[in-house]
Amino acid sequence: MCLRTYLAILELLTRRTTLHSSVPNHHTDVRHLDPAAPHCTTRVSTLEAIAEDYGNCSSSQNKSKNLDDSTVHKLRLDPSELAEEHILCTPCKEAVAGCLALQSSEKPPQAKSVFRKYSDRKALELAATMCLTGPSISPPCHLCSLVLGRIRQAEFWREPPHDPPPEPIVVTFVVGRTGGTTLEIEVGQASHRRSMGYLVVVPADHEEAASVVSIMPDSKRFFTFAGEGVDTIHWNARLAKSLTSEASSSLAREWLKQCLQNHSQCTEAAGLAVGRPYRLVDVGKEDGSDPKVVIMDLTVPLPPYLTLSHCWGGAKILRLLLENIDTLTKGIAMHALPKTFRDAVAITRRLGYQYIWIDSLCIIQDSPPDWRTNAAIMGEIYAGSVCTVAALTARNAHDGGCFSEQARNPLSYRHCHISPYWTVKRNSYVGPDMRLRPRCSPMEPFPLHTRGWVVQERLLEPRTLYFGSTGLAWECVECSATENVPHGEVSEFSPKASFFDIMRQVPGVPAELEDGQTPGLRDGAESRKMEEEVYALWLTIQAAYGQCGLTQFEDRLVAISGVIRRIEATTGWRNMWGIWRDSALVDLLWFVDKPSVRPSTSEYLAPTWSWAGLEGGVFMAAGDGKGCEWKAEVVGDGELEDGRGYVKLRAMAKSMVLTAQGTLFPRSPHPLPRWAEVGWTPDESQERAQDGGRGREVKCILIARLQDYLGKGVPVFEIGLVIARVDRHDGGEWERVGLFNHPRDRPEPLFPDSFDEIEKLTETLSVV
């Protein structure tokens, strides 16, 4: 490639023109999408004059406002809102000029040399960070932005201090034995340098050096945009210095508009919502009017509304209380709102909506009856919203908000042409990882996805707009999209899509049941297959949810109750404190990833045989139960007079001794050899487990025998519950204290095979 060609391409890539959009001086009528809806219209003028007549319109997701170009008029895009690519600071220019390997297209020999040094982190940030309040005197350095972006990615999960210590940063140019070229980044003094990863350098004419948006055939696109070059909606959004810019707002509006118009599955999913909020936040207008809490009139259709998904993170935030409800319904000064709430209000206005539901402002936080009423339908509130605004990377309501201005640098994710012959590849784009994953996974979840309440929000809400330091992203039932893949793609790991896809395929519960028939899926091989898929999905949800945190442990069940009710309504299954009655035996075989605690709560939460009463991740010892030889039977369940839950099991039970060291042995009048010890996993910490079992009668209940429990060729294992007698109640009440597993290849198996011996050990026990 000659220098003239390179400069021509560079000029094309960096060209910016102002987008002009005419703003009509008249109001525009917008009809709802549902043809069955009343022909109500919403009057919308400019972005500053958002719709006023929502009270006359239906709340159904299918009747949401039609966001076309006449609904929310585009603001004029200021070119200074966009970052300029391929511009280097003077030290980087000198570093490139001084590196002979970068002055030719020839394959360089193996080498390693210092390329660039920074005295400390602040020096790097000074060269790379955007000026967010206006045009910079000198534009940020693209190459420095890539270096800073790589360091930030490496540090993201370590929660670095807000003011990192002054450590030098060294960038080394490395050519490997096979000719691979990289810029390796290290932080720290020479004797204690820490690697922060590397940037890949490729020839400028290599296909990986193309600095364009991911392109896909028209037939596979979920979103379409006019044009493919510079100055298109998706192109500008990728270069927006801040998510507050009109470039980012335009892309968000376009995703939402096209989903409302074209995605039938998303509309179908939204139609499943059966609840409605009692209060909403009226965001006001950008003419200076303040937002306020409004009480919904339940006798009229609900207006379209958005929802906010965010981390409380233990921060002190503005809350709706009995003492301030009169004040907040009159108006809320914007400066009184935490950062995330202010951003959510701005986003709601920019998307052309008037109302948003925010948990802390729409539920009276110091009114237990109001909280219980709203918490029970919270999943349905999210399911019934037009779209959820998600603050993906903010750790609390004051930390960065939705826009994360200080962390945003789009140049970190754009290729940089550093010479006519070589290009530094962008950092890997970190879009929101959609899968539900335990926290122990190698890929950690974003801060928002560590919050327990968010699990059901993600599953039930039909559409989500993610805002954060990683940029803007979209997730709906049909697809996922990011700034890097704006046309959308089917997400292999989207829990929203998986949940809806499985739920919609379930045949459903017959309207009328014959005498003696129990609720559940219709008979047939296909139904059994779907039943297995629903249960497998539930196990994934349960494992991910157990790893998430809750500000109040009392919310352990209610925070996932929306998902449970959706499964119940679809399948006819019955849930008992987080345990499915239809698969109770396999569900009882849960264990926590590490001995936990059973927190005390102000009200009864769950029986001891339910995972919901313990903190921490929950896993199933027998998986989905396939391959189990069941040795127990559930003969009853329900609530006692005092409200405690119980389950009655008929099974073989063996009396045990729990030693002071926490080991478990069969009760015997004679000393037992070491091989007789029974392996078990206590539910609570060793100390608490010993306290709970010491001095009380302890038994092992055999639930199942598992072939190939620890792999092929290993002995059959027996698995079941470890229970201790309840002291404070008369009769045969027992509490679960753990889970045992024991191989049958010992000289004396724990449980017999002969019919007579089985009969002697079999009894009916009530576990509470």
Side-chain angles (χ1 to χ4, degrees):
M1 181 188 300
C2 69
L3 182 59
R4 179 177 300 177
T5 303
Y6 167 74
L7 293 175
I9 293 175
L10 189 61
E11 180 182 0
L12 175 63
L13 290 172
T14 56
R15 179 170 56 89
R16 290 291 167 265
T17 58
T18 304
L19 292 181
H20 297 280
S21 58
S22 58
V23 180
N25 57 13
H26 59 277
H27 292 287
T28 305
D29 288 338
V30 181
R31 295 194 180 276
H32 291 273
L33 298 177
D34 188 352
H39 291 286
C40 55
T41 60
T42 303
R43 293 165 60 84
V44 183
S45 58
T46 63
L47 184 63
E48 291 80 1
I50 303 174
E52 299 176 352
D53 298 331
Y54 286 82
N56 298 322
C57 299
S58 169
S59 63
S60 169
Q61 185 75 128
N62 296 337
K63 303 171 186 176
S64 301
K65 291 172 56 184
N66 182 358
L67 292 180
D68 56 23
D69 288 339
S70 62
T71 304
V72 181
H73 303 298
K74 294 181 181 179
L75 295 180
R76 181 168 297 178
L77 180 63
D78 185 345
S80 67
E81 293 183 351
L82 305 180
E84 295 183 73
E85 302 173 270
H86 317 300
I87 294 179
L88 304 185
C89 62
T90 299
C92 282
K93 289 179 182 178
E94 294 174 348
V96 171
C99 183
L100 295 179
L102 298 177
Q103 308 308 311
S104 168
S105 60
E106 298 296 325
K107 183 178 179 180
Q110 183 177 355
K112 184 174 183 179
S113 60
V114 174
F115 178 80
R116 178 84 159 85
K117 288 184 177 181
Y118 303 90
S119 59
D120 54 27
R121 174 71 165 267
K122 289 185 177 180
L124 171 60
E125 291 178 343
L126 183 64
T129 303
M130 299 292 169
C131 176
L132 300 173
T133 58
S136 305
I137 296 176
S138 59
C141 174
H142 194 159
L143 184 54
C144 291
S145 297
L146 287 168
V147 173
L148 179 60
R150 187 66 193 87
I151 293 175
R152 282 177 169 171
Q153 284 189 359
E155 290 180 338
F156 188 80
W157 298 111
R158 288 189 287 153
E159 295 189 55
H162 292 293
D163 189 15
E167 296 180 296
I169 299 171
V170 178
V171 180
T172 304
F173 181 79
V174 178
V175 181
R177 286 181 298 175
T178 60
T181 310
T182 58
L183 294 176
E184 296 186 357
I185 305 167
E186 294 178 305
V187 174
Q189 301 298 332
S191 58
H192 298 90
R193 284 180 182 164
R194 306 183 307 278
S195 174
M196 291 290 152
Y198 58 87
L199 298 168
V200 177
V201 185
V202 296
D205 57 357
H206 194 281
E207 61 180 8
E208 294 183 1
S211 184
V212 297
V213 176
S214 298
I215 301 298
M216 61 186 65
D218 291 345
S219 60
K220 295 184 178 181
R221 295 186 182 188
F222 293 89
F223 302 107
T224 58
F225 305 93
E228 293 297 344
V230 296
D231 294 326
T232 56
I233 289 177
H234 57 74
W235 184 282
N236 289 331
R238 295 184 75 206
L239 288 176
K241 294 179 182 179
S242 169
L243 295 182
T244 61
S245 71
E246 176 56 20
S248 294
S249 298
S250 295
L251 181 58
R253 283 196 299 270
E254 196 65 25
W255 281 337
L256 179 56
K257 179 195 74 173
Q258 293 192 33
C259 180
L260 288 169
Q261 291 177 340
N262 305 325
H263 293 181
S264 59
Q265 291 185 27
C266 301
T267 301
E268 183 182 348
L272 298 175
V274 295
R276 58 179 286 165
Y278 295 98
R279 304 176 190 89
L280 291 171
V281 175
D282 183 337
V283 299
K285 303 173 183 177
E286 291 189 328
D287 59 4
S289 57
D290 290 329
K292 61 183 178 181
V293 176
V294 292
I295 300 172
M296 294 293 100
D297 184 349
L298 301 183
T299 64
V300 301
L302 189 70
Y305 65 94
L306 307 184
T307 43
L308 174 65
S309 183
H310 68 106
C311 283
W312 281 51
K316 292 183 178 180
I317 58 177
L318 181 66
R319 300 180 300 152
L320 183 66
L321 304 171
L322 291 170
E323 65 181 22
N324 67 7
I325 188 169
D326 290 338
T327 301
L328 299 190
T329 53
K330 294 177 182 176
I332 308 171
M334 286 292 283
H335 65 78
L337 295 172
K339 181 71 169 63
T340 299
F341 293 7
R342 293 198 304 272
D343 291 351
V345 167
I347 292 167
T348 304
R349 291 170 173 173
R350 284 177 171 261
L351 291 178
Y353 286 86
Q354 186 174 355
Y355 298 101
I356 186 170
W357 188 88
I358 301 175
D359 48 10
S360 70
L361 297 179
C362 295
I363 301 176
I364 304 176
Q365 300 296 314
D366 58 351
S367 169
D370 191 74
W371 189 91
R372 281 193 294 267
T373 299
N374 283 273
I377 62 170
M378 198 175 300
E380 298 301 325
I381 291 175
Y382 279 88
S385 69
V386 175
C387 181
T388 293
V389 175
L392 184 64
T393 55
R395 301 181 188 277
N396 59 60
H398 300 287
D399 174 37
C402 296
F403 297 136
S404 303
E405 289 95 337
Q406 299 305 316
R408 168 78 172 174
N409 191 330
L411 295 180
S412 296
Y413 307 107
R414 305 287 286 182
H415 298 329
C416 177
H417 304 313
I418 58 175
S419 81
Y421 312 105
W422 296 93
T423 295
V424 179
K425 288 181 60 179
R426 62 181 174 84
N427 289 295
S428 298
Y429 187 85
V430 183
D433 184 23
M434 300 301 182
R435 74 193 74 188
L436 290 171
R437 59 168 76 252
R439 190 175 297 174
C440 58
S441 168
M443 290 182 64
E444 296 287 342
F446 283 101
L448 180 65
H449 292 163
T450 64
R451 178 174 172 253
W453 282 97
V454 172
V455 172
Q456 74 171 6
E457 294 169 12
R458 295 180 65 195
L459 291 168
L460 298 180
E461 61 202 16
R463 307 171 186 90
T464 308
L465 269 170
Y466 292 100
F467 292 80
S469 59
T470 59
L472 184 66
W474 169 269
E475 181 191 15
C476 65
V477 168
E478 293 200 13
C479 72
S480 302
T482 62
E483 294 173 1
N484 193 48
V485 189
H487 298 98
E489 61 185 352
V490 176
S491 176
E492 182 181 356
F493 303 108
S494 171
K496 190 192 309 295
S498 299
F499 187 74
F500 175 72
D501 184 57
I502 292 176
M503 290 293 102
R504 71 195 296 261
Q505 293 184 55
V506 173
V509 184
E512 296 182 3
L513 298 173
E514 298 178 2
D515 293 341
Q517 186 178 2
T518 58
L521 298 176
R522 295 186 179 95
D523 294 334
E526 188 65 26
S527 292
R528 286 193 294 272
K529 179 183 177 182
M530 287 308 308
E531 206 167 26
E532 292 175 357
E533 289 191 20
V534 173
Y535 187 69
L537 177 61
W538 165 254
L539 293 182
T540 301
I541 295 170
Q542 183 186 50
Y545 176 71
Q547 294 285 355
C548 293
L550 292 164
T551 305
Q552 301 294 330
F553 187 74
E554 284 90 345
D555 300 346
R556 179 78 156 165
L557 271 176
V558 70
I560 198 68
S561 61
V563 172
I564 290 174
R565 278 195 295 271
R566 182 68 64 87
I567 295 176
E568 285 180 324
T570 305
T571 64
W573 297 350
R574 179 166 63 88
N575 197 271
M576 316 178 299
W577 287 280
I579 302 293
W580 294 106
R581 179 63 176 84
D582 300 71
S583 55
L585 290 180
V586 66
D587 273 14
L588 289 171
L589 299 178
W590 54 264
F591 67 96
V592 288
D593 53 353
K594 57 183 177 180
S596 181
V597 295
R598 197 178 298 276
S600 59
T601 54
S602 57
E603 297 181 0
Y604 178 77
L605 181 61
T608 59
W609 43 265
S610 168
W611 55 267
L614 282 172
E615 289 183 338
V618 179
F619 303 95
M620 308 307 294
D624 59 6
K626 292 180 181 178
C628 288
E629 181 186 353
W630 300 109
K631 295 296 181 180
E633 180 185 4
V634 178
V635 295
D637 65 85
E639 288 187 23
L640 301 172
E641 292 183 358
D642 59 4
R644 291 178 300 130
Y646 73 89
V647 62
K648 284 188 177 180
L649 296 170
R650 182 165 179 78
M652 283 191 283
K654 192 79 170 274
S655 292
M656 308 296 291
V657 173
L658 182 60
T659 69
Q661 292 74 35
T663 55
L664 199 62
F665 283 89
R667 184 173 293 279
S668 172
H670 309 291
L672 295 176
R674 187 67 180 175
W675 55 257
E677 180 183 346
V678 176
W680 76 300
T681 303
D683 294 340
E684 299 184 82
S685 62
Q686 195 79 322
E687 295 76 13
R688 296 190 62 163
Q690 289 174 228
D691 292 342
R694 188 182 297 126
R696 291 200 284 169
E697 185 179 357
V698 177
K699 290 189 175 185
C700 283
I701 304 177
L702 178 62
I703 301 296
R705 285 178 178 155
L706 284 73
Q707 187 75 40
D708 301 329
Y709 178 52
L710 298 179
K712 291 188 178 297
V714 299
V716 173
F717 266 74
E718 293 177 328
I719 189 168
L721 307 184
V722 181
I723 59 175
R725 186 181 291 277
V726 178
D727 292 332
R728 61 181 182 275
H729 292 279
D730 296 331
E733 291 186 6
W734 300 76
E735 292 178 335
R736 169 176 163 147
V737 294
L739 188 80
F740 81 88
N741 57 79
H742 193 68
R744 284 190 56 77
D745 64 342
R746 303 298 167 86
E748 294 184 15
L750 188 60
F751 290 96
D753 277 326
S754 69
F755 180 79
D756 291 340
E757 291 296 319
I758 291 174
E759 284 296 306
K760 289 179 182 178
L761 292 178
T762 299
E763 55 184 304
T764 300
L765 300 165
S766 181
V767 186
V768 296

